[in-house]
Amino acid sequence: NHRYAIDGSDPNSYAGILWCLGLFDRPFKPPRPIIGTIRPRSTRSHAKRLNLSRYVARISRPAADGPLRVAIIGAGISGMVAARTLADHGHQVCVFEKARGFGGRLATRRIESGAFDHGAQYFTARDTRFRPWVDSWRQMGVVQRWKGRIGVLRHGQFRDERERHERFVALPGMSALAGHLASGLTVKLNTAIRRIRKKGPKMTLIDADGGSWGDYDALIVSTPPVQAAQLLAGLAPLTEQLETVVMTPCWAVMLAFAEPVCLPFDGAFVHDAEIAWAARNSSKPGREGDECWVLHAGADWSQANISAEPETVISRLSASFSTAAGQTLPQHRLAIAHRWRYARVQQPLSIGCLWDRQSRIGICGDWCHGSRIEGAYLSGAAMAGQIVAHQMPAAPG
């Protein structure tokens, strides 16, 4: 209620709501029937204290002069959450994504007899603002808890994690969560936006083919900070903060085996090796088919080998996995390498999102609010909250 003003167009403060619940007041006698002891005040009494007709007009007006037209560049989790939230508040939203699918690093690569979550492996729900959404997704069957055996792998020795964490995955692949958020939204895939043209308060987007999209009242960019800075150069005083954000790459290798891989874990954080993570993807709920493993290289190795050939990456990381596991692995029947150029943030900004009201441009992403999926979600929600909370009127057009 404080962020989105669900009971009217003017956000009520926490104090105002708690006042209604008795924080600053007390009941008066005599007791009233049915509902107990309260402080009564009739509508006539209220009318002596405030202008009721003005109050009704105030809370009955829309949050803006009309639905805002909002463009969102980037269909990762933060962008999709911002789009979902704004659309649910009645605004007209269009999402532009240069890739052929939405979700960003919330990605699933499907093969004939299996699938790989080759980006984000799972997500947690440590923030109390994020947990209710996760619970609702579980009730709807969108996500499920991954109960695999997780721990630390060092020089062939596996040790269970000291503290168990609830880890969740989407069904049947991680990209399904992005699909759920995108339901009913307008998403333009395979559309790379290269330039923003601003004329007065309106913005027009120009794609790589010279196509024009617009006009929009507000713009949200949910791309990696380097790309956001290039796209918004000279348009908003936000790009200086982006210069402090450093994103590191990650090479991912996907291995499919025709026979089981006999290892005592389903996911491991690997120490003292070229790989930093190994997971039995087929151990996650809802996955069917061959035994599939996903390997993620460490940030330093990925950076040093950013331009390596996929075949070289597969060979090196497969050998690193075998050495770390302390045994020779079965021959894989399929191997795929994928490079995530902007995979992790070294030091998140921890500010939720960036928003410039004058230019009507905002930026969001996991790097604004931590580097996990829940951080991306909260950043997207904060971005939408900035637009809704400011009650920005639509520009005349």
Side-chain angles (χ1 to χ4, degrees):
N1 184 80
H2 186 73
R3 172 174 290 176
Y4 296 125
I6 57 176
D7 64 350
S9 62
D10 191 21
N12 291 274
S13 67
Y14 292 120
I17 296 299
L18 291 175
W19 192 307
C20 297
L21 300 177
L23 178 63
F24 303 114
D25 220 328
R26 61 184 179 84
F28 290 93
K29 293 182 178 181
R32 310 287 281 189
I34 303 177
I35 57 177
T37 305
I38 63 170
R39 179 180 181 177
R41 183 178 292 163
S42 66
T43 304
R44 180 179 298 175
S45 176
H46 268 300
K48 296 177 180 179
R49 302 170 64 93
L50 73 156
N51 188 324
L52 283 180
S53 59
R54 184 178 177 185
Y55 174 77
V56 171
R58 169 89 177 169
I59 66 171
S60 299
R61 66 182 175 88
D65 294 343
L68 299 173
R69 298 193 70 217
V70 183
I72 298 179
I73 301 175
I77 285 297
S78 59
M80 297 308 295
V81 170
R84 175 82 276 152
T85 305
L86 290 170
D88 289 347
H89 280 79
H91 298 293
Q92 299 174 6
V93 180
C94 186
V95 182
F96 298 88
E97 171 56 50
K98 66 179 181 180
R100 60 185 179 184
F102 34 70
R105 283 164 285 164
L106 203 67
T108 302
R109 176 75 65 89
R110 291 175 175 81
I111 60 174
E112 184 177 350
S113 56
F116 304 92
D117 297 321
H118 58 297
Q121 297 293 287
Y122 58 84
F123 63 91
T124 56
R126 302 173 186 177
D127 194 293
T128 55
R129 294 167 295 178
F130 183 53
R131 185 64 195 226
W133 293 98
V134 177
D135 291 340
S136 69
W137 294 335
R138 292 181 72 180
Q139 293 175 5
M140 291 185 286
V142 177
V143 307
Q144 192 171 328
R145 186 180 175 187
W146 180 25
K147 299 180 181 180
R149 187 180 182 187
I150 313 294
V152 174
L153 184 63
R154 188 195 301 267
H155 302 310
Q157 299 296 317
F158 175 76
R159 185 182 73 250
D160 283 304
E161 58 184 347
R162 295 178 181 178
E163 183 180 353
R164 298 284 293 178
H165 298 287
E166 275 193 316
R167 294 179 170 89
F168 301 94
V169 296
L171 305 177
M174 291 297 284
S175 61
L177 179 56
H180 172 72
L181 293 172
S183 177
L185 297 178
T186 300
V187 182
K188 304 293 184 181
L189 299 176
N190 297 307
T191 306
I193 301 301
R194 292 287 184 259
R195 187 164 55 91
I196 311 298
R197 187 171 63 211
K198 207 168 188 306
K199 186 176 181 181
K202 296 284 189 177
M203 282 167 279
T204 301
L205 281 55
I206 311 299
D207 63 30
D209 298 323
S212 178
W213 305 85
D215 293 325
Y216 292 99
D217 301 303
L219 171 66
I220 296 172
V221 179
S222 63
T223 65
V226 172
Q227 297 174 351
Q230 294 172 349
L231 188 63
L232 298 178
L235 292 176
L238 304 173
T239 54
E240 291 183 3
Q241 293 176 268
L242 301 181
E243 296 176 358
T244 65
V245 182
V246 178
M247 302 290 290
T248 59
C250 177
W251 271 107
V253 166
M254 297 157 265
L255 302 174
F257 298 89
E259 57 184 282
V261 177
C262 298
L263 290 173
F265 58 86
D266 298 306
F269 299 95
V270 186
H271 289 203
D272 303 321
E274 293 173 342
I275 64 170
W277 167 262
R280 194 193 314 262
N281 199 85
S282 47
S283 71
K284 298 176 182 178
R287 276 63 173 175
E288 298 179 353
D290 289 347
E291 172 128 343
C292 295
W293 283 77
V294 174
L295 313 178
H296 280 176
D300 291 341
W301 191 91
S302 295
Q303 184 64 63
N305 295 271
I306 189 68
S307 300
E309 294 296 327
E311 294 77 11
T312 301
V313 174
I314 291 170
S315 176
R316 290 283 297 273
L317 297 189
S318 296
S320 177
F321 180 34
S322 180
T323 300
Q327 67 180 62
T328 301
L329 302 176
Q331 181 63 38
H332 54 260
R333 71 169 193 83
L334 177 68
I336 306 170
H338 182 90
R339 181 183 62 192
W340 296 101
R341 184 174 290 276
Y342 305 106
R344 305 182 184 95
V345 58
Q346 287 186 349
Q347 185 62 46
L349 293 181
S350 300
I351 58 174
C353 65
L354 298 170
W355 169 245
D356 180 57
R357 186 175 184 180
Q358 184 173 0
S359 64
R360 299 179 174 182
I361 295 175
I363 309 173
C364 61
D366 58 353
W367 48 272
C368 281
H369 206 299
S371 58
R372 297 189 296 267
I373 287 180
E374 62 183 313
Y377 188 96
L378 293 170
S379 178
M383 186 73 265
Q386 285 288 343
I387 294 178
V388 174
H390 278 88
Q391 298 183 20
M392 181 179 61

